[in-house]
Amino acid sequence: MDRASFSEVLHFIDGERIASVDGSVIGNIEPATGEALGTIAAGGQAEVDLAVAAATNALPDWASSSADTRGQLLERLAAAIEDRLDDFATAECIDNGKPITAARQIDIPRAAANLRFFAGAARYQQDECYRTRLPDDDLWNVSLRKPIGVAGCISPWNLPLYLFTWKIAPALAAGCTVVAKPSEVTPVTADLLAKAAQDVGLPAGVLNIVQGAGAAAGAAIVSHPGIAAISFTGGTETGASIASVAAPSFKKTLLELGGKNPTIVFADADIDQALEGAARAAYSNQGQICLSGSRILVESSIVDSFTERLVERVSSMAIGDPLEETTEVGALVSSEHLQKVENSLQVARDEGGTILCGGERCAPAGRCSGGFFLSPAVVIGLDSGARTNQEEIFGPVATIIPFDDESSAIEIANDVRYGLAASVWTGSVDRALRVSERIEAGTVWVNCWMKRDLRTVFGGVKESGLGREGGAESLSFFQEPTNVCIRFDSKGPDSTDE
Ligand code: NAD
């Protein structure tokens, strides 16, 4: 892929890729090398005003087009991504630091799948209709689903195009026009998507992308009176601030936030599978997934042998240039984030924890010697209440916490302010169901992790979020239902009842 295509990331407003009104830019750094990749147009109020005006203008035609027309355009956009899968995957790998295999096998196929899924889901969305017979009346109640208006979609850096499309696809399929903002840390694939949108002939103004910092472009989207709803994925503190800005104007918000998710391993589990599952859950994407299983709860009778094997497995993970096919662990997303994860490890030491392996800077020699690499760490010796077990680290750091029985496992699992996901490893169906029901989380996986069917609900409880995405939930977030109650004469003119 030609790196020149990264050198200038632009906004996409009213069908055109444009610079900021005042020409301002911010820098974009390659995580694997620490070197400059290029510049990003830095948007703010002026660019958001332009984007909202374009989206408002495009709304009547887009909202009144058929689900099939919209679906066909989304499918063409999906095909454009699939046709350039390698370019998109390479761009994601370079911009984010994630291994190329993950970008090629997970991120980019999922981005295309999001567009295809919602293209289909909108076509098959069911409308509600109730016949209501009363003693003196006969009524039909019909629910109309109207697109809510111009939608604001804001996404994070960890799964850049995957989560960007997870938001814009249902909004567009539901008939909304969109003003979206990818993370300023990983803006490149959204810019490639803008080019693809031009290529497939998405009407101007239907999808607008404002690039730039959260405090400028993001805040301007959230507070804009022309935007009816905000779908946000990112950190819990940012989510709280967005909710406080949106609430006074009753703007609809969907918030997908942070997690501190438990992986719970019972002694009756298939231990080989549980071990591999726990390792994948903790360290995939360098531990930078909201669903990461960063607390590994292990039944006391097997905790010593499990810990020994996990350390062995984690220590053998291939850390390297994200562009290499063999790399399992790539770079953290930025030098600031690397520093934040290192600070968390210092907190773990200060609290009396023991780091059994990892937690060291480990940039590979050569091209990546200036990159932001940290070896995956396993921490033991800390109570559930320790900061290390309470705060989201969002890096390649997992703790092991022993438990004695099912009740204490559930108690520890729920002993955090978050409630996004959990994975439970057991050979007993009864236990799996008992535990799943009592865990406070939006998603519980049993004997697996991060398996997704896009029809299922997705979201968090407690401080992990508000609302649900997935299938019908995603579509209905972007719609405003109106019930139309029609009284009709069911008896006809010849009736002698009246
Ligand atoms: P972040 O909250 O810093 O940023 C997310 C997005 O919000 C970015 O585009 C950013 O520019 C923007 N933003 C920042 N401040 C804003 C403001 N005041 N107003 C409007 N927009 C603003 O999060 P991040 O560091 O990019 O991502 C990591 C976090 O995201 C982690 O906490 C992770 O758990 C969470 N996350 C959650 C999910 C989920 O589905 N629940 C998925 C992925 C990541």
Side-chain angles (χ1 to χ4, degrees):
M1 143 144 254
D2 177 13
R3 277 170 182 257
S5 62
F6 296 179
S7 62
E8 194 182 25
V9 169
L10 297 173
H11 309 296
F12 180 53
I13 299 176
D14 210 9
E16 301 292 334
R17 291 178 59 251
I18 58 167
S20 289
V21 172
D22 65 1
S24 57
V25 294
I26 46 183
N28 190 16
I29 303 289
E30 179 178 2
T33 62
E35 284 167 18
L37 269 179
T39 59
I40 311 163
Q45 193 64 52
E47 291 73 21
V48 171
D49 285 346
L50 289 174
V52 174
T56 306
N57 206 24
L59 184 63
D61 282 354
W62 186 251
S64 60
S65 64
S66 71
D68 193 50
T69 302
R70 298 194 294 262
Q72 283 180 33
L73 277 160
L74 293 182
E75 278 160 355
R76 276 158 59 186
L77 202 51
I81 294 174
E82 287 157 352
D83 288 349
R84 296 184 55 203
L85 178 82
D86 272 336
D87 285 351
F88 273 93
T90 306
E92 203 73 293
C93 165
I94 292 174
D95 202 21
N96 174 277
K98 65 177 63 215
I100 184 72
T101 49
R104 197 185 292 129
Q105 290 166 19
I106 301 169
D107 289 73
I108 305 305
R110 170 63 189 272
N114 288 337
L115 292 159
R116 283 196 190 285
F117 174 80
F118 285 108
R123 288 181 177 115
Y124 300 116
Q125 194 178 24
Q126 293 185 347
D127 288 315
E128 284 179 29
C129 182
Y130 300 99
R131 172 96 179 250
T132 311
R133 289 174 190 269
L134 300 171
D136 298 323
D137 275 323
D138 211 337
L139 311 164
W140 279 108
N141 281 289
V142 183
S143 250
L144 302 181
R145 294 173 188 277
K146 295 183 274 189
I148 196 164
V150 177
C153 298
I154 301 176
S155 55
W157 49 258
N158 63 320
L159 299 164
L161 195 65
Y162 174 136
L163 288 174
F164 189 75
T165 50
W166 180 237
K167 305 207 156 288
I168 65 164
L172 295 172
C176 295
T177 53
V178 169
V179 176
K181 193 192 90 62
S183 170
E184 62 275 32
V185 184
T186 52
V188 169
T189 44
D191 197 25
L192 293 182
L193 188 74
K195 292 177 190 165
Q198 287 179 321
D199 292 346
V200 305
L202 195 70
V206 165
L207 170 64
N208 304 276
I209 302 174
V210 179
Q211 301 278 0
I221 291 173
V222 174
S223 62
H224 203 292
I227 292 184
I230 301 290
S231 176
F232 170 78
T233 297
T236 292
E237 278 67 33
T238 316
S241 124
I242 287 174
S244 71
V245 174
S249 58
F250 305 102
K251 199 172 278 192
K252 203 172 175 186
T253 49
L254 176 71
L255 304 171
E256 298 290 353
L257 310 175
K260 187 75 179 175
N261 312 295
T263 297
I264 308 174
V265 182
F266 287 96
D268 65 4
D270 177 324
I271 299 301
D272 290 347
Q273 281 187 17
L275 193 96
E276 199 48 39
R280 261 188 1 96
Y283 304 106
S284 294
N285 211 39
Q286 297 71 246
Q288 303 167 136
I289 304 183
C290 54
L291 306 162
S292 290
S294 51
R295 293 182 297 146
I296 306 175
L297 283 48
V298 185
E299 195 160 350
S300 301
S301 59
I302 58 162
V303 72
D304 289 344
S305 59
F306 189 91
T307 302
E308 195 180 318
R309 288 185 63 193
L310 186 72
V311 168
E312 198 181 315
R313 169 72 184 93
V314 170
S315 305
S316 71
M317 285 180 171
I319 303 166
D321 185 339
L323 285 167
E324 297 287 337
E325 299 287 329
T326 50
T327 294
E328 277 182 278
V329 179
L332 298 199
V333 78
S334 65
S335 95
E336 295 76 22
H337 192 58
L338 171 62
Q339 188 61 58
K340 184 174 161 264
V341 176
E342 286 184 320
N343 292 346
S344 300
L345 283 165
Q346 190 53 47
V347 169
R349 285 187 203 96
D350 294 346
E351 291 184 303
T354 304
I355 298 170
L356 292 179
C357 66
E360 309 283 342
R361 289 198 183 206
C362 57
R367 187 185 93 87
C368 294
S369 58
F372 316 129
F373 293 81
L374 190 75
S375 52
V378 176
V379 181
I380 59 164
L382 292 171
D383 289 343
S384 172
R387 275 182 64 190
T388 310
N389 282 323
Q390 292 290 320
E391 295 172 4
E392 184 185 46
I393 297 173
F394 218 57
V397 178
T399 56
I400 296 185
I401 311 173
F403 66 84
D404 292 331
D405 54 25
E406 200 176 294
S407 300
S408 57
I410 293 165
E411 199 176 309
I412 298 168
N414 291 339
D415 179 31
V416 286
R417 65 185 178 117
Y418 297 106
L420 191 57
S423 73
V424 180
W425 298 81
T426 174
S428 157
V429 174
D430 288 345
R431 168 173 279 157
L433 289 173
R434 276 196 308 269
V435 174
S436 302
E437 200 168 18
R438 291 176 62 196
I439 285 189
E440 295 162 356
T443 300
V444 180
W445 283 287
V446 175
N447 295 331
C448 60
W449 175 75
M450 219 174 151
K451 304 284 181 194
R452 290 280 293 126
D453 178 328
L454 303 189
R455 293 170 298 182
T456 62
V457 289
F458 178 85
V461 303
K462 301 199 285 192
E463 294 188 28
S464 285
L466 196 63
R468 289 292 181 276
E469 296 185 303
E473 298 272 348
S474 283
L475 284 176
S476 63
F477 174 76
F478 292 108
Q479 294 169 326
E480 199 71 275
T482 300
N483 187 63
V484 180
C485 178
I486 309 165
R487 179 173 177 269
F488 77 110
D489 178 5
S490 60
K491 299 193 175 99
D494 301 333
S495 166
T496 54
D497 282 5
E498 286 177 35

